[in-house]
Amino acid sequence: MAEAAAARTSVASAPRAAGSAHRGFWVTRSAAAPRIARAYFAAQAIAGALWWVGVFTLPWLRRATLGELDPVAVALWDVPLFVIASGIAAAGRRWAVRIAVPWTLLVTAGLAGYATATGLAGWGALLMAAASCGSLVAWSLAVFGRIPAETVLRGPLASRTARVGSRARQLATTLLQMLGFWVLFLGVLPLGIRLLEVRCGLHVGFPAWLQGLGWVVLLLASALGVTAAAAMSLHGDGTPLPSATAVRLVIAGPYRWVRNPMALSGIAQAAGVGLLSSSWLVLGYAVCGGVYWNEPVRPSEEAELEQRFGEEFTAYRDRVRCWAPCFG
């Protein structure tokens, strides 16, 4: 989402006291990136070795992570292709990365399918899913020296200014986009995560008061999202989608107090859904969404806004914080 709002009021003279641009360590090539990748693979090799020791010595761990799979048969493949390959990758051998990462993805898919079909080994599938995410990030840092986030900001996610039309049409388009986002990201995906959580034996019930809190968070966050989208549409002649982003910089409505009210709203909405559905995995989904938006997406978006609006945006950025509202 293009997260700056429209402006009839210039902020060029605003004080530059709140800090500088979020350049994005992960998306900017860094000499430290390969070292971070090697450190990750070293930690993964150690964790994998300790896990296998636990599998053969602790029956409850074997049951929780492998279900009824034969640990000896799995170890014959996993120890060399995951543990040893990760250790060699930690030494800086690029060929080992090309072994460890695909194998991690393959095991994750296999365990996820097994856990879904049988209701067993859910914790193993979850741990391997986390390892897959970490391995992909480490692979990217090792190969590119950064995370090439711009590769996903293409097609419908590429930033293009909206065609100026009637305000009623812009508002209708914005509301339809929001409805689509809500159905997919607050309905379909959390429901799928919740069903998998229960099916794989990972569900932990929440107390009733947390579920009630979830409704409050969801309603307040939804109100924030609607207000921010209306401000973007009415003052910026744009929509939340990057493919039809605002023509003018918007500092009206909630954008006066926080730079990214729609992103803040979406993350809080997902957290509310997680609370009211008693799903800790949906809460994790909300956290991951926030991290993904803040680290790979936000630097590219703010660089594009700075290019388009120049000092007007930089003054606004330095005056208004990204996540924590500042009133006054």
Side-chain angles (χ1 to χ4, degrees):
M1 296 181 184
E3 284 296 337
R8 305 233 170 152
T9 304
S10 173
V11 294
S13 61
R16 304 175 66 83
S20 58
H22 179 76
R23 298 298 180 185
F25 172 81
W26 302 104
V27 299
T28 304
R29 190 172 183 85
S30 168
R35 294 196 296 271
I36 295 173
R38 291 196 298 270
Y40 171 82
F41 282 116
Q44 181 166 273
I46 294 170
L50 292 175
W51 176 71
W52 274 114
V53 171
V55 164
F56 285 108
T57 57
L58 302 172
W60 64 266
L61 181 62
R62 180 169 63 249
R63 178 73 177 178
T65 56
L66 286 180
E68 295 179 351
L69 295 174
D70 183 359
V72 175
V74 177
L76 288 175
W77 290 91
D78 193 69
V79 170
L81 298 178
F82 180 76
V83 178
I84 297 177
S86 294
I88 297 174
R93 300 296 185 267
R94 189 74 60 85
W95 60 265
V97 175
R98 294 194 288 268
I99 294 175
V101 175
W103 175 254
T104 303
L105 297 174
L106 180 63
V107 172
T108 300
L111 272 180
Y114 174 75
T116 303
T118 65
L120 303 173
W123 289 103
L126 184 63
L127 290 173
M128 288 308 300
S132 288
C133 293
S135 293
L136 286 173
V137 170
W139 168 80
S140 182
L141 294 177
V143 174
F144 303 109
R146 66 188 188 93
I147 299 176
E150 69 280 357
T151 57
V152 301
L153 301 177
R154 297 175 180 174
L157 295 179
S159 180
R160 291 184 292 271
T161 55
R163 295 180 179 179
V164 178
S166 69
R167 287 191 171 183
R169 182 175 180 179
Q170 292 283 20
L171 185 59
T173 301
T174 297
L175 292 177
L176 285 174
Q177 288 180 4
M178 288 191 66
L179 180 61
F181 273 95
W182 286 3
V183 169
L184 177 60
F185 293 105
L186 302 178
V188 176
L189 292 179
L191 177 61
I193 293 171
R194 175 70 162 73
L195 292 175
L196 286 174
E197 182 181 294
V198 173
R199 174 60 182 166
C200 297
L202 302 174
H203 179 64
V204 178
F206 290 180
W209 69 269
L210 275 180
Q211 295 176 336
L213 178 62
W215 282 111
V216 174
V217 172
L218 178 61
L219 292 175
L220 291 177
S222 298
L224 173 63
V226 170
T227 305
M232 167 104 38
S233 179
L234 297 176
H235 296 283
D237 288 330
T239 73
L241 278 182
S243 57
T245 190
V247 176
R248 295 186 299 276
L249 184 68
V250 180
I251 57 171
Y255 291 92
R256 290 175 293 176
W257 306 304
V258 63
R259 291 207 308 272
N260 300 284
M262 283 195 291
L264 181 61
S265 167
I267 295 164
Q269 283 176 308
V273 171
L275 289 173
L276 66 88
S277 62
S278 294
S279 173
W280 68 274
L281 281 184
V282 173
L283 286 175
Y285 157 78
V287 172
C288 290
V291 172
Y292 175 77
W293 189 90
N294 191 67
E295 295 303 323
V297 176
R298 177 184 161 198
S300 298
E301 180 180 278
E302 292 197 345
E304 190 268 340
L305 290 169
E306 185 173 0
Q307 183 180 22
R308 287 174 58 202
F309 298 112
E311 291 185 4
E312 187 178 20
F313 172 72
T314 58
Y316 170 69
R317 180 194 65 210
D318 291 345
R319 179 180 180 179
V320 180
R321 291 191 290 264
C322 177
W323 295 110
C326 50
F327 300 100

